[in-house]
Amino acid sequence: FQRQLQQSDCQNVLMKKVFDTHMLFLQINQSAAALKHVFAALRLFVGKFPSAFFQGQADLCGSLCYEILKCCNHRSRSTQTEASALLYFFMRKNFEFNKQKSIVRSHLQLIKAVSQLIADAGIGGSRFQHSLAIINNFANGDKQMKNVNFPAEVKDLTKRIRTVLMATAQMKEHEKDPEMLVDLQYSLANSYASTPELRRTWLESMAKIHARNGDLSEAAMCYIHIAALIAEYLKRKGLFSMGWPAFLSITPNIK
C-alpha cells in the first residue's frame, strides 16, 4: 500500500490507521523482547515515510514523541536504551529531512510531550535523566554529524528538557503557594518567548492556576496574551491585518 500511504504527502486516513496500529504496541504493556521489535519496526516506518512526521500537520510527530519519551522512563534499562536510540534516530531524520538546517519540529513536539508527561506520568527521575544522557552520548559520538550543527541542537534540546523538569520540580515544592507557583510558570513561559506554541502551553497552564485560585482578571490577562500571540502569528502569515496591537484597547500590558 505504499502508493496509497504516500498520497497527499503522507497526510491521509490510511497513514493515520497504520500509525495508530504502531502506537498501540507502545500504549499496551509489552515485554522488553517485544518492544525491541516494535522499536525496529518504528525505525523502518519513520525511515520510509519521513514526510508523515516532518511535513503538514504535526499530530503524528507529537504522538510518537509522547510515546517514545514514555519508554525513556521505562523500568528496563534495555528498553530505555532502545527508546533513546529511536529518539536520536528520529531527530536525525528530521535534520536530514530539513536539508540539514534544523530539528525545529521534533524539538517543539518533544518539549510539548515532556510538559504533558510531567502531568500524566510524573517523569523526570533518574531513569529519565539516564535516557537524556544516552541521547547526548549518541550526539557526541556521531562521526557523520561532526561538521554540522546537529549535535549542538540535540544538546540544546536535552538542556531545555532538563530546565522544564527542574522548573516543574520547583513548582511541586510550591504548589501550596499560588504566587510563587505562578511566578515559576511565568519565567518558564518567558524562556519560550521565541517558540510561540510552547509559550502558549505555559500561559494556558498559568491561566488554569489563576482561575482555580479565583484570580479571574489574571487568568484573563493570560488568555489575552495567548490571543495576541496567535494574532501576531496570523499577521506574519498574512492572514490578519492587526497583530498584537488589536488588543491594546483592552490592556497596554499587551506590549
Side-chain angles (χ1 to χ4, degrees), residues 85 88-93 95-96 100 134-152 154-155:
Y88 181 77
F89 171 81
F90 187 70
M91 291 189 280
R92 194 177 154 164
K93 272 280 163 228
F95 189 71
E96 287 163 1
Q100 300 206 335
I134 293 171
I135 292 166
N136 268 338
N137 289 341
F138 279 130
N140 290 331
D142 195 335
K143 289 187 173 67
Q144 287 174 299
M145 292 286 166
K146 228 177 178 64
N147 300 319
V148 290
N149 67 340
F150 177 66
V154 172
K155 280 176 201 155

Side-chain angles (χ1 to χ4, degrees), residues 29-42:
N29 283 337
Q30 309 288 343
S31 67
L35 278 172
K36 203 177 170 75
H37 296 288
V38 175
F39 292 134
L42 281 167

Side-chain angles (χ1 to χ4, degrees), residues 29-30 32 35 70-80 127:
N29 283 337
Q30 309 288 343
L35 278 172
K70 227 161 63 176
C71 293
C72 287
N73 207 37
H74 202 275
R75 285 188 308 275
S76 154
R77 267 291 157 101
S78 65
T79 300
Q80 275 180 43
R127 291 199 296 241

Side-chain angles (χ1 to χ4, degrees), residues 14-15 41 44-45 60 68 73 99 102 107 137 140 145 164 170 172 175 186 199 203 227-228 230 242 246 251 254:
L14 184 61
M15 174 56 80
L44 265 172
F45 188 52
L60 302 195
I68 302 175
N73 207 37
K99 300 184 173 56
S102 73
H107 181 122
N137 289 341
N140 290 331
M145 292 286 166
V164 172
Q170 285 179 303
K172 266 214 150 356
E175 57 193 352
Y186 180 65
R199 185 165 166 78
L203 285 170
I230 295 168
M242 285 284 281
T251 170
I254 209 66

Side-chain angles (χ1 to χ4, degrees), residues 89-208:
F89 171 81
F90 187 70
M91 291 189 280
R92 194 177 154 164
K93 272 280 163 228
N94 188 183
F95 189 71
E96 287 163 1
F97 188 83
N98 282 353
K99 300 184 173 56
Q100 300 206 335
K101 287 195 189 108
S102 73
I103 55 165
V104 158
R105 174 165 288 194
S106 47
H107 181 122
L108 184 61
Q109 295 306 321
L110 281 163
I111 297 280
K112 274 185 83 176
V114 167
S115 309
Q116 287 170 312
L117 274 165
I118 288 164
D120 301 349
I123 60 163
S126 58
R127 291 199 296 241
F128 194 73
Q129 295 289 354
H130 175 70
S131 293
L132 290 178
I134 293 171
I135 292 166
N136 268 338
N137 289 341
F138 279 130
N140 290 331
D142 195 335
K143 289 187 173 67
Q144 287 174 299
M145 292 286 166
K146 228 177 178 64
N147 300 319
V148 290
N149 67 340
F150 177 66
E153 290 214 20
V154 172
K155 280 176 201 155
D156 177 54
L157 173 60
T158 52
K159 190 173 148 197
R160 277 181 177 269
I161 289 175
R162 285 197 175 100
T163 305
V164 172
L165 293 172
M166 232 161 60
T168 314
Q170 285 179 303
M171 283 177 206
K172 266 214 150 356
E173 275 175 49
H174 298 286
E175 57 193 352
K176 293 197 166 52
D177 179 351
E179 277 85 11
M180 187 65 184
L181 185 59
V182 168
D183 252 8
L184 287 165
Q185 291 227 321
Y186 180 65
S187 59
L188 205 51
N190 280 349
S191 72
Y192 285 105
S194 59
T195 317
E197 202 173 336
L198 290 174
R199 185 165 166 78
R200 177 194 159 175
T201 303
W202 288 105
L203 285 170
E204 274 176 346
S205 186
M206 270 172 74
K208 282 177 192 160

Side-chain angles (χ1 to χ4, degrees), residues 13-54:
V13 178
L14 184 61
M15 174 56 80
K16 179 87 174 85
K17 284 182 178 173
V18 173
F19 174 76
D20 286 347
T21 308
H22 276 82
M23 287 300 94
L24 266 177
F25 285 104
L26 294 178
Q27 286 155 357
I28 298 166
N29 283 337
Q30 309 288 343
S31 67
L35 278 172
K36 203 177 170 75
H37 296 288
V38 175
F39 292 134
L42 281 167
R43 269 196 302 275
L44 265 172
F45 188 52
V46 172
K48 207 165 195 175
F49 304 107
S51 50
F53 301 96
F54 309 127

